[in-house]
PDB file of all heavy atoms in Angstrom:
ATOM      1  N   LEU A1299     -22.017  31.083 -74.399  1.00  0.00           N
ATOM      2  CA  LEU A1299     -21.336  30.316 -75.435  1.00  0.00           C
ATOM      3  C   LEU A1299     -20.717  29.047 -74.853  1.00  0.00           C
ATOM      4  O   LEU A1299     -20.749  27.981 -75.484  1.00  0.00           O
ATOM      5  CB  LEU A1299     -20.248  31.171 -76.097  1.00  0.00           C
ATOM      6  CG  LEU A1299     -20.741  32.380 -76.909  1.00  0.00           C
ATOM      7  CD1 LEU A1299     -19.556  33.180 -77.446  1.00  0.00           C
ATOM      8  CD2 LEU A1299     -21.634  31.939 -78.064  1.00  0.00           C
ATOM      9  N   SER A1300     -20.185  29.166 -73.645  1.00  0.00           N
ATOM     10  CA  SER A1300     -19.604  27.996 -72.988  1.00  0.00           C
ATOM     11  C   SER A1300     -20.672  26.956 -72.665  1.00  0.00           C
ATOM     12  O   SER A1300     -20.396  25.749 -72.697  1.00  0.00           O
ATOM     13  CB  SER A1300     -18.883  28.403 -71.696  1.00  0.00           C
ATOM     14  OG  SER A1300     -17.787  29.238 -71.967  1.00  0.00           O
ATOM     15  N   ALA A1301     -21.881  27.423 -72.349  1.00  0.00           N
ATOM     16  CA  ALA A1301     -22.975  26.492 -72.052  1.00  0.00           C
ATOM     17  C   ALA A1301     -23.274  25.619 -73.264  1.00  0.00           C
ATOM     18  O   ALA A1301     -23.505  24.410 -73.136  1.00  0.00           O
ATOM     19  CB  ALA A1301     -24.227  27.262 -71.633  1.00  0.00           C
ATOM     20  N   VAL A1302     -23.278  26.238 -74.430  1.00  0.00           N
ATOM     21  CA  VAL A1302     -23.522  25.481 -75.654  1.00  0.00           C
ATOM     22  C   VAL A1302     -22.383  24.485 -75.879  1.00  0.00           C
ATOM     23  O   VAL A1302     -22.605  23.315 -76.210  1.00  0.00           O
ATOM     24  CB  VAL A1302     -23.661  26.422 -76.865  1.00  0.00           C
ATOM     25  CG1 VAL A1302     -23.832  25.619 -78.149  1.00  0.00           C
ATOM     26  CG2 VAL A1302     -24.847  27.361 -76.671  1.00  0.00           C
ATOM     27  N   THR A1303     -21.150  24.957 -75.689  1.00  0.00           N
ATOM     28  CA  THR A1303     -19.996  24.088 -75.885  1.00  0.00           C
ATOM     29  C   THR A1303     -20.000  22.925 -74.902  1.00  0.00           C
ATOM     30  O   THR A1303     -19.816  21.761 -75.278  1.00  0.00           O
ATOM     31  CB  THR A1303     -18.684  24.882 -75.719  1.00  0.00           C
ATOM     32  OG1 THR A1303     -18.686  25.984 -76.624  1.00  0.00           O
ATOM     33  CG2 THR A1303     -17.478  24.012 -75.994  1.00  0.00           C
ATOM     34  N   THR A1304     -20.220  23.238 -73.619  1.00  0.00           N
ATOM     35  CA  THR A1304     -20.242  22.198 -72.589  1.00  0.00           C
ATOM     36  C   THR A1304     -21.384  21.218 -72.824  1.00  0.00           C
ATOM     37  O   THR A1304     -21.209  20.002 -72.716  1.00  0.00           O
ATOM     38  CB  THR A1304     -20.378  22.825 -71.190  1.00  0.00           C
ATOM     39  OG1 THR A1304     -19.302  23.739 -70.964  1.00  0.00           O
ATOM     40  CG2 THR A1304     -20.362  21.757 -70.110  1.00  0.00           C
ATOM     41  N   GLY A1305     -22.550  21.754 -73.143  1.00  0.00           N
ATOM     42  CA  GLY A1305     -23.711  20.908 -73.370  1.00  0.00           C
ATOM     43  C   GLY A1305     -23.531  19.961 -74.541  1.00  0.00           C
ATOM     44  O   GLY A1305     -23.845  18.767 -74.447  1.00  0.00           O
ATOM     45  N   THR A1306     -23.027  20.487 -75.638  1.00  0.00           N
ATOM     46  CA  THR A1306     -22.814  19.630 -76.807  1.00  0.00           C
ATOM     47  C   THR A1306     -21.693  18.623 -76.558  1.00  0.00           C
ATOM     48  O   THR A1306     -21.721  17.509 -77.107  1.00  0.00           O
ATOM     49  CB  THR A1306     -22.501  20.469 -78.057  1.00  0.00           C
ATOM     50  OG1 THR A1306     -21.456  21.416 -77.763  1.00  0.00           O
ATOM     51  CG2 THR A1306     -23.722  21.218 -78.534  1.00  0.00           C
ATOM     52  N   THR A1307     -20.723  19.003 -75.718  1.00  0.00           N
ATOM     53  CA  THR A1307     -19.682  18.041 -75.331  1.00  0.00           C
ATOM     54  C   THR A1307     -20.291  16.862 -74.585  1.00  0.00           C
ATOM     55  O   THR A1307     -19.954  15.700 -74.841  1.00  0.00           O
ATOM     56  CB  THR A1307     -18.613  18.716 -74.446  1.00  0.00           C
ATOM     57  OG1 THR A1307     -17.997  19.775 -75.169  1.00  0.00           O
ATOM     58  CG2 THR A1307     -17.555  17.715 -74.016  1.00  0.00           C
ATOM     59  N   VAL A1308     -21.200  17.164 -73.671  1.00  0.00           N
ATOM     60  CA  VAL A1308     -21.874  16.098 -72.924  1.00  0.00           C
ATOM     61  C   VAL A1308     -22.746  15.257 -73.851  1.00  0.00           C
ATOM     62  O   VAL A1308     -22.870  14.043 -73.676  1.00  0.00           O
ATOM     63  CB  VAL A1308     -22.706  16.687 -71.763  1.00  0.00           C
ATOM     64  CG1 VAL A1308     -23.515  15.602 -71.073  1.00  0.00           C
ATOM     65  CG2 VAL A1308     -21.802  17.382 -70.761  1.00  0.00           C
ATOM     66  N   ILE A1309     -23.351  15.891 -74.848  1.00  0.00           N
ATOM     67  CA  ILE A1309     -24.126  15.128 -75.834  1.00  0.00           C
ATOM     68  C   ILE A1309     -23.247  14.079 -76.495  1.00  0.00           C
ATOM     69  O   ILE A1309     -23.646  12.921 -76.654  1.00  0.00           O
ATOM     70  CB  ILE A1309     -24.726  16.068 -76.902  1.00  0.00           C
ATOM     71  CG1 ILE A1309     -25.894  16.868 -76.309  1.00  0.00           C
ATOM     72  CG2 ILE A1309     -25.216  15.274 -78.115  1.00  0.00           C
ATOM     73  CD1 ILE A1309     -26.487  17.877 -77.263  1.00  0.00           C
ATOM     74  N   THR A1310     -22.038  14.475 -76.876  1.00  0.00           N
ATOM     75  CA  THR A1310     -21.139  13.535 -77.550  1.00  0.00           C
ATOM     76  C   THR A1310     -20.714  12.397 -76.632  1.00  0.00           C
ATOM     77  O   THR A1310     -20.347  11.315 -77.107  1.00  0.00           O
ATOM     78  CB  THR A1310     -19.883  14.249 -78.077  1.00  0.00           C
ATOM     79  OG1 THR A1310     -19.127  14.790 -76.977  1.00  0.00           O
ATOM     80  CG2 THR A1310     -20.253  15.373 -79.028  1.00  0.00           C
ATOM     81  N   LYS A1311     -20.780  12.613 -75.301  1.00  0.00           N
ATOM     82  CA  LYS A1311     -20.299  11.606 -74.356  1.00  0.00           C
ATOM     83  C   LYS A1311     -21.412  10.807 -73.687  1.00  0.00           C
ATOM     84  O   LYS A1311     -21.221   9.637 -73.351  1.00  0.00           O
ATOM     85  CB  LYS A1311     -19.447  12.265 -73.270  1.00  0.00           C
ATOM     86  CG  LYS A1311     -18.120  12.828 -73.758  1.00  0.00           C
ATOM     87  CD  LYS A1311     -17.315  13.383 -72.600  1.00  0.00           C
ATOM     88  CE  LYS A1311     -15.948  13.860 -73.051  1.00  0.00           C
ATOM     89  NZ  LYS A1311     -15.144  14.392 -71.930  1.00  0.00           N
ATOM     90  N   ASN A1312     -22.567  11.429 -73.454  1.00  0.00           N
ATOM     91  CA  ASN A1312     -23.574  10.818 -72.598  1.00  0.00           C
ATOM     92  C   ASN A1312     -24.894  10.468 -73.278  1.00  0.00           C
ATOM     93  O   ASN A1312     -25.773   9.913 -72.627  1.00  0.00           O
ATOM     94  CB  ASN A1312     -23.887  11.752 -71.409  1.00  0.00           C
ATOM     95  CG  ASN A1312     -22.739  11.850 -70.429  1.00  0.00           C
ATOM     96  OD1 ASN A1312     -21.792  12.582 -70.648  1.00  0.00           O
ATOM     97  ND2 ASN A1312     -22.819  11.111 -69.351  1.00  0.00           N
ATOM     98  N   ILE A1313     -25.020  10.781 -74.541  1.00  0.00           N
ATOM     99  CA  ILE A1313     -26.310  10.534 -75.172  1.00  0.00           C
ATOM    100  C   ILE A1313     -26.438   9.093 -75.669  1.00  0.00           C
ATOM    101  O   ILE A1313     -27.528   8.664 -76.068  1.00  0.00           O
ATOM    102  CB  ILE A1313     -26.547  11.531 -76.333  1.00  0.00           C
ATOM    103  CG1 ILE A1313     -28.041  11.717 -76.564  1.00  0.00           C
ATOM    104  CG2 ILE A1313     -25.822  11.072 -77.602  1.00  0.00           C
ATOM    105  CD1 ILE A1313     -28.384  12.863 -77.486  1.00  0.00           C
ATOM    106  N   ASP A1314     -25.340   8.340 -75.626  1.00  0.00           N
ATOM    107  CA  ASP A1314     -25.357   6.960 -76.124  1.00  0.00           C
ATOM    108  C   ASP A1314     -26.478   6.133 -75.508  1.00  0.00           C
ATOM    109  O   ASP A1314     -27.276   5.508 -76.211  1.00  0.00           O
ATOM    110  CB  ASP A1314     -24.027   6.257 -75.829  1.00  0.00           C
ATOM    111  CG  ASP A1314     -22.841   6.962 -76.429  1.00  0.00           C
ATOM    112  OD1 ASP A1314     -22.842   8.203 -76.454  1.00  0.00           O
ATOM    113  OD2 ASP A1314     -21.897   6.279 -76.863  1.00  0.00           O
ATOM    114  N   SER A1315     -26.495   6.079 -74.178  1.00  0.00           N
ATOM    115  CA  SER A1315     -27.473   5.235 -73.491  1.00  0.00           C
ATOM    116  C   SER A1315     -28.903   5.683 -73.775  1.00  0.00           C
ATOM    117  O   SER A1315     -29.808   4.856 -73.910  1.00  0.00           O
ATOM    118  CB  SER A1315     -27.219   5.240 -71.983  1.00  0.00           C
ATOM    119  OG  SER A1315     -27.429   6.532 -71.436  1.00  0.00           O
ATOM    120  N   ILE A1316     -29.097   7.001 -73.864  1.00  0.00           N
ATOM    121  CA  ILE A1316     -30.435   7.526 -74.135  1.00  0.00           C
ATOM    122  C   ILE A1316     -30.889   7.107 -75.526  1.00  0.00           C
ATOM    123  O   ILE A1316     -32.044   6.675 -75.722  1.00  0.00           O
ATOM    124  CB  ILE A1316     -30.442   9.062 -73.999  1.00  0.00           C
ATOM    125  CG1 ILE A1316     -30.002   9.472 -72.592  1.00  0.00           C
ATOM    126  CG2 ILE A1316     -31.818   9.629 -74.312  1.00  0.00           C
ATOM    127  CD1 ILE A1316     -29.738  10.954 -72.432  1.00  0.00           C
ATOM    128  N   MET A1317     -30.001   7.203 -76.512  1.00  0.00           N
ATOM    129  CA  MET A1317     -30.364   6.859 -77.885  1.00  0.00           C
ATOM    130  C   MET A1317     -30.466   5.353 -78.078  1.00  0.00           C
ATOM    131  O   MET A1317     -31.298   4.874 -78.864  1.00  0.00           O
ATOM    132  CB  MET A1317     -29.364   7.470 -78.863  1.00  0.00           C
ATOM    133  CG  MET A1317     -29.363   8.988 -78.860  1.00  0.00           C
ATOM    134  SD  MET A1317     -28.590   9.717 -80.319  1.00  0.00           S
ATOM    135  CE  MET A1317     -29.765   9.270 -81.591  1.00  0.00           C
ATOM    136  N   ILE A1318     -29.649   4.578 -77.365  1.00  0.00           N
ATOM    137  CA  ILE A1318     -29.783   3.119 -77.429  1.00  0.00           C
ATOM    138  C   ILE A1318     -31.139   2.701 -76.876  1.00  0.00           C
ATOM    139  O   ILE A1318     -31.804   1.815 -77.423  1.00  0.00           O
ATOM    140  CB  ILE A1318     -28.635   2.433 -76.660  1.00  0.00           C
ATOM    141  CG1 ILE A1318     -27.310   2.622 -77.401  1.00  0.00           C
ATOM    142  CG2 ILE A1318     -28.917   0.948 -76.469  1.00  0.00           C
ATOM    143  CD1 ILE A1318     -26.100   2.144 -76.627  1.00  0.00           C
ATOM    144  N   THR A1319     -31.558   3.355 -75.796  1.00  0.00           N
ATOM    145  CA  THR A1319     -32.877   3.066 -75.232  1.00  0.00           C
ATOM    146  C   THR A1319     -33.977   3.397 -76.228  1.00  0.00           C
ATOM    147  O   THR A1319     -34.950   2.643 -76.384  1.00  0.00           O
ATOM    148  CB  THR A1319     -33.094   3.865 -73.934  1.00  0.00           C
ATOM    149  OG1 THR A1319     -32.083   3.528 -72.989  1.00  0.00           O
ATOM    150  CG2 THR A1319     -34.466   3.578 -73.328  1.00  0.00           C
ATOM    151  N   SER A1320     -33.831   4.526 -76.913  1.00  0.00           N
ATOM    152  CA  SER A1320     -34.851   4.965 -77.870  1.00  0.00           C
ATOM    153  C   SER A1320     -34.847   4.125 -79.143  1.00  0.00           C
ATOM    154  O   SER A1320     -35.914   3.823 -79.693  1.00  0.00           O
ATOM    155  CB  SER A1320     -34.633   6.444 -78.229  1.00  0.00           C
ATOM    156  OG  SER A1320     -34.708   7.264 -77.087  1.00  0.00           O
ATOM    157  N   LEU A1321     -33.658   3.738 -79.621  1.00  0.00           N
ATOM    158  CA  LEU A1321     -33.556   3.043 -80.902  1.00  0.00           C
ATOM    159  C   LEU A1321     -33.500   1.527 -80.750  1.00  0.00           C
ATOM    160  O   LEU A1321     -33.717   0.800 -81.727  1.00  0.00           O
ATOM    161  CB  LEU A1321     -32.296   3.520 -81.650  1.00  0.00           C
ATOM    162  CG  LEU A1321     -32.274   5.006 -82.016  1.00  0.00           C
ATOM    163  CD1 LEU A1321     -30.907   5.395 -82.560  1.00  0.00           C
ATOM    164  CD2 LEU A1321     -33.364   5.322 -83.044  1.00  0.00           C
ATOM    165  N   ALA A1322     -33.179   1.052 -79.543  1.00  0.00           N
ATOM    166  CA  ALA A1322     -33.118  -0.395 -79.321  1.00  0.00           C
ATOM    167  C   ALA A1322     -34.009  -0.756 -78.124  1.00  0.00           C
ATOM    168  O   ALA A1322     -35.194  -1.034 -78.294  1.00  0.00           O
ATOM    169  CB  ALA A1322     -31.677  -0.833 -79.096  1.00  0.00           C
ATOM    170  N   SER A1323     -33.434  -0.752 -76.922  1.00  0.00           N
ATOM    171  CA  SER A1323     -34.215  -1.077 -75.724  1.00  0.00           C
ATOM    172  C   SER A1323     -33.464  -0.633 -74.481  1.00  0.00           C
ATOM    173  O   SER A1323     -32.261  -0.348 -74.527  1.00  0.00           O
ATOM    174  CB  SER A1323     -34.473  -2.582 -75.649  1.00  0.00           C
ATOM    175  OG  SER A1323     -33.258  -3.283 -75.470  1.00  0.00           O
ATOM    176  N   LEU A1324     -34.176  -0.593 -73.368  1.00  0.00           N
ATOM    177  CA  LEU A1324     -33.560  -0.254 -72.089  1.00  0.00           C
ATOM    178  C   LEU A1324     -32.558  -1.339 -71.695  1.00  0.00           C
ATOM    179  O   LEU A1324     -31.502  -1.055 -71.111  1.00  0.00           O
ATOM    180  CB  LEU A1324     -34.628  -0.106 -71.008  1.00  0.00           C
ATOM    181  CG  LEU A1324     -34.214   0.535 -69.679  1.00  0.00           C
ATOM    182  CD1 LEU A1324     -33.715   1.950 -69.889  1.00  0.00           C
ATOM    183  CD2 LEU A1324     -35.395   0.534 -68.696  1.00  0.00           C
ATOM    184  N   SER A1325     -32.870  -2.598 -72.028  1.00  0.00           N
ATOM    185  CA  SER A1325     -31.957  -3.698 -71.742  1.00  0.00           C
ATOM    186  C   SER A1325     -30.642  -3.536 -72.499  1.00  0.00           C
ATOM    187  O   SER A1325     -29.557  -3.774 -71.941  1.00  0.00           O
ATOM    188  CB  SER A1325     -32.610  -5.032 -72.119  1.00  0.00           C
ATOM    189  OG  SER A1325     -31.726  -6.109 -71.896  1.00  0.00           O
ATOM    190  N   SER A1326     -30.704  -3.114 -73.753  1.00  0.00           N
ATOM    191  CA  SER A1326     -29.484  -2.893 -74.542  1.00  0.00           C
ATOM    192  C   SER A1326     -28.623  -1.804 -73.922  1.00  0.00           C
ATOM    193  O   SER A1326     -27.393  -1.891 -73.911  1.00  0.00           O
ATOM    194  CB  SER A1326     -29.840  -2.512 -75.980  1.00  0.00           C
ATOM    195  OG  SER A1326     -30.504  -3.570 -76.635  1.00  0.00           O
ATOM    196  N   ALA A1327     -29.282  -0.766 -73.391  1.00  0.00           N
ATOM    197  CA  ALA A1327     -28.548   0.308 -72.716  1.00  0.00           C
ATOM    198  C   ALA A1327     -27.842  -0.236 -71.485  1.00  0.00           C
ATOM    199  O   ALA A1327     -26.715   0.173 -71.163  1.00  0.00           O
ATOM    200  CB  ALA A1327     -29.495   1.443 -72.337  1.00  0.00           C
ATOM    201  N   GLY A1328     -28.498  -1.158 -70.770  1.00  0.00           N
ATOM    202  CA  GLY A1328     -27.879  -1.769 -69.603  1.00  0.00           C
ATOM    203  C   GLY A1328     -26.674  -2.609 -69.972  1.00  0.00           C
ATOM    204  O   GLY A1328     -25.630  -2.546 -69.322  1.00  0.00           O
ATOM    205  N   ILE A1329     -26.803  -3.407 -71.041  1.00  0.00           N
ATOM    206  CA  ILE A1329     -25.684  -4.228 -71.503  1.00  0.00           C
ATOM    207  C   ILE A1329     -24.521  -3.341 -71.952  1.00  0.00           C
ATOM    208  O   ILE A1329     -23.362  -3.596 -71.621  1.00  0.00           O
ATOM    209  CB  ILE A1329     -26.132  -5.143 -72.658  1.00  0.00           C
ATOM    210  CG1 ILE A1329     -27.134  -6.184 -72.137  1.00  0.00           C
ATOM    211  CG2 ILE A1329     -24.925  -5.828 -73.308  1.00  0.00           C
ATOM    212  CD1 ILE A1329     -27.770  -7.023 -73.226  1.00  0.00           C
ATOM    213  N   TYR A1330     -24.829  -2.282 -72.691  1.00  0.00           N
ATOM    214  CA  TYR A1330     -23.804  -1.357 -73.199  1.00  0.00           C
ATOM    215  C   TYR A1330     -23.031  -0.694 -72.067  1.00  0.00           C
ATOM    216  O   TYR A1330     -21.828  -0.428 -72.188  1.00  0.00           O
ATOM    217  CB  TYR A1330     -24.496  -0.295 -74.052  1.00  0.00           C
ATOM    218  CG  TYR A1330     -23.585   0.777 -74.619  1.00  0.00           C
ATOM    219  CD1 TYR A1330     -22.784   0.526 -75.722  1.00  0.00           C
ATOM    220  CD2 TYR A1330     -23.562   2.053 -74.072  1.00  0.00           C
ATOM    221  CE1 TYR A1330     -21.968   1.515 -76.258  1.00  0.00           C
ATOM    222  CE2 TYR A1330     -22.754   3.053 -74.595  1.00  0.00           C
ATOM    223  CZ  TYR A1330     -21.961   2.778 -75.698  1.00  0.00           C
ATOM    224  OH  TYR A1330     -21.157   3.763 -76.216  1.00  0.00           O
TER     225      TYR A1330
END
């Protein structure tokens, strides 16, 4: 249960750059 909690916590904090790359560009992720 903690794995799910920890993992989803990291999603809320670290998925920004991954999704910016997917929805915009790798350059946008670098600027961000």
Side-chain angles (χ1 to χ4, degrees):
L1299 294 177
S1300 296
V1302 177
T1303 304
T1304 302
T1306 50
T1307 299
V1308 174
I1309 287 176
T1310 63
K1311 292 183 176 181
N1312 290 81
I1313 206 169
D1314 302 37
S1315 65
I1316 301 170
M1317 296 198 68
I1318 290 172
T1319 301
S1320 300
L1321 298 172
S1323 65
L1324 193 61
S1325 178
S1326 296
I1329 293 173
Y1330 178 78

